[in-house]
Amino acid sequence: MEKNIRGFKTALGLLLTTGIIVLYAASFYNAQDTQAGQFSEVISQLMGMALGLAAMFFVGKIDYRILKKPAVCGGLLALSVVLLAIVPIPGVGSMVNGSRRWLRIGPIGFQPSEMAKYAVVLFMARALSRRNARLGSFFRGVIPMLLVPAAAFFLILLQPNLSTAGSILIVSAVMVLMAGGRWLHLAMLGAGGLVLAAYYTLSEPYRRERLMSFRDPFAQLSDEGYQLAQSLMAFGSGGLFGMGLGQGRQKFAFLPYPESDFIFAVVGEDLGLAGCLCVLALFFWLIYSGMRIAMMCEDRFGALLAGGIVAMIGVQTVMNVAVVIGVMPTTGLPLPFFSAGGTSIAIVMAAAGLVIRIGRQSTQIGTGQF
């Protein structure tokens, strides 16, 4: 267990360090016109990281099993549902790029969906750890278990934010498998999900346009395909070893939002294929170490909670990279530890700290020191 905890912590530290360096390289050009200057995004990210470190210190001192209490688990889930329900309301949620995903409290803005992701993971860990989960039954076990994730899915879909909503369902399904669910049941749900996704995608003209741009972005270079086309140009320009940190050109007002959803394209242009593989190797190390912690945890609730958190980080990473390299339709999903967003990185760091705490506490219980 100690080896896996050290591996997880080392990978986490390297991802945070690499992420803040790449964020500066991706954001300094656009940020220089702001009041705070070229370091504005970095300063905001460092503030979020400081908050995340404080959260990691806090969760590192508590008994993680307190999160299993109905008042704690239910309270976090209820708060998330309320925030998700009010964010689409005009005048309450902030409209950014055609989507109403943000709530603002004074100068601080955050996406309730970021908190909802981990609230659902916590709920699923608690529900799946009960002895009467009935995962062998499709209608009496699996379907009722996925009602809460489905509710979160539809609330987030109202923003609209299909990628985040979809990641919640995917991770919930993964957690059901972790708890002993049947592949056949999940395959049936997956088939239904694909039908629903197809209907959702084809039901609005802008979604159809986005799908077509994903298939051939250069055919719609002046419209929906522009961002993905610029991203692919960035990877092509980077080649094997890149143009040098900060030397890439796509961030100079060609690639929209290089500091957030498409920051991996900056990695590809500045550091090349070698840099991309190194970053992906760090993510793999983090996910592998985290899953080992979950597998070695003797407490079913702790194992499912750690596994769900790591699965969420992994699914989000895979989806972001897939979008940026043109394997999936373009959606707004940040790359963990890299994309700009102070509250987002604080939440994911707190979740990562909880994985470390589960590993530490499991070791203490196993040695009789807890």
Side-chain angles (χ1 to χ4, degrees), residues 8 12 55-57 59-60 309 348-358:
F8 187 87
L12 176 63
M56 290 179 70
F57 178 80
V59 299
I309 290 171
V348 74
M349 286 178 66
L354 190 54
V355 175
I356 296 172
R357 177 54 183 167
I358 291 170

Side-chain angles (χ1 to χ4, degrees), residues 158-187:
L158 295 175
Q159 299 179 3
N161 190 347
L162 178 60
S163 53
T164 299
S167 67
I168 288 178
L169 285 186
I170 293 171
V171 172
S172 297
V174 169
M175 293 182 70
V176 170
L177 285 177
M178 289 178 182
R182 296 181 180 178
W183 280 98
L184 177 61
H185 293 164
L186 274 299

Side-chain angles (χ1 to χ4, degrees), residues 12 14 24 29 46 66 73 75 79 98 105 126 136 143 146 154 198 203 207 218 227 266 272 278 331 357 361 369:
L12 176 63
L14 290 173
Y24 173 71
Y29 179 78
L46 287 173
I66 196 174
C73 179
L79 177 61
I105 303 175
R126 182 180 185 276
I143 292 296
L146 294 176
F154 285 110
S203 62
R207 297 191 192 112
F218 292 96
Q227 189 173 25
V266 176
C278 287
T331 57
R357 177 54 183 167
Q361 190 170 325
Q369 297 176 2

